[in-house]
Amino acid sequence: PSYALDMMNRVRKALSLGLEKPDSRFRALRSLALLDLFQGQYRAAAAKLREAILVESKPELALNRAREHLFLSLVREGQGNRSADWRELDEAHKSLSAAQPAVWLLLRIGAVYARAGALDKATTLLKQARPLVDLKNNEHLSDLHLLEGELEFARGNSARALEIFQLAERENSWPPTLE
């Protein structure tokens, strides 16, 4: 335990160096927020993500804002605040609409909507993303199948959901598909 705590403190110190550079401040805030989230410090994570969103006010940073809102939705979910979770997802989708199409993020927002019980919104994002998916890109396919699996699971089709999740994991083995 003391080794892990020491390592976390070193990581936090290294990430904090980025706070002093204007061009890397939002990345440092996001990384520190994710570290806070990992350690169960939801309030601290939310504050850093909110600040990152403010720092990322330029139009060309819309994709980053979308990502921060997605992370904030996870914070709100962890706090048990479903309405705030949905608001953050709505903001993520709105921010993403102002950015260059990022199919991976569109699909991930959809998957979180499905987990949160907003099936209509998740289905809409699936329809929006499907034509953008590169069928030769395993990461795209995995994200597509992850969203499809979340929708099937939310609809009570557990066996079908498991098949789709396994397909997503074969295409791209990473924490969301392993989960």
Side-chain angles (χ1 to χ4, degrees):
S2 63
Y3 174 77
L5 184 59
D6 182 52
M7 185 59 77
M8 290 288 187
N9 288 334
R10 283 194 224 175
V11 168
R12 187 172 298 281
K13 187 175 180 178
L15 292 172
S16 294
L17 296 174
L19 294 173
E20 298 177 23
K21 301 174 187 171
D23 61 334
S24 65
R25 184 169 179 76
F26 69 89
R27 284 186 206 89
L29 286 164
R30 178 193 315 138
S31 297
L32 287 164
L34 292 175
L35 185 58
D36 288 340
L37 187 58
F38 177 75
Q39 293 180 308
Q41 299 171 4
Y42 294 109
R43 277 196 192 129
K48 287 178 182 76
L49 289 167
R50 283 272 171 232
E51 186 178 347
I53 289 167
L54 293 174
V55 171
E56 299 165 334
S57 61
K58 296 176 185 173
E60 64 269 18
L61 296 176
L63 180 66
N64 290 332
R65 285 192 303 279
R67 185 181 301 138
E68 310 324 352
H69 282 295
L70 179 59
F71 288 139
L72 263 171
S73 79
L74 299 175
V75 169
R76 300 305 180 212
E77 177 189 11
Q79 293 173 319
N81 189 338
R82 179 167 278 187
S83 62
D85 178 9
W86 284 19
R87 278 193 308 275
E88 294 300 341
L89 288 170
D90 289 343
E91 287 297 320
H93 186 220
K94 182 178 160 186
S95 293
L96 189 57
S97 298
Q100 291 290 328
V103 66
W104 64 271
L105 189 52
L106 193 61
L107 290 165
R108 292 177 194 178
I109 292 169
V112 177
Y113 266 133
R115 278 190 180 187
L119 302 188
D120 290 343
K121 291 181 179 192
T123 301
T124 298
L125 291 182
L126 178 60
K127 288 176 185 175
Q128 188 180 351
R130 231 186 213 123
L132 304 173
V133 171
D134 177 357
L135 299 177
K136 294 180 181 178
N137 181 323
N138 280 351
E139 290 178 16
H140 280 197
L141 290 171
S142 180
D143 285 333
L144 173 69
H145 291 127
L146 191 61
L147 173 49
E148 290 172 338
E150 291 290 353
L151 282 165
E152 289 296 327
F153 187 74
R155 292 177 181 137
N157 303 325
S158 301
R160 178 69 182 133
L162 182 58
E163 289 173 15
I164 296 170
F165 286 142
Q166 289 171 336
L167 180 59
E169 201 275 325
R170 280 193 303 270
E171 291 159 341
N172 187 27
S173 183
W174 63 297
T177 60
L178 293 172
E179 180 187 7

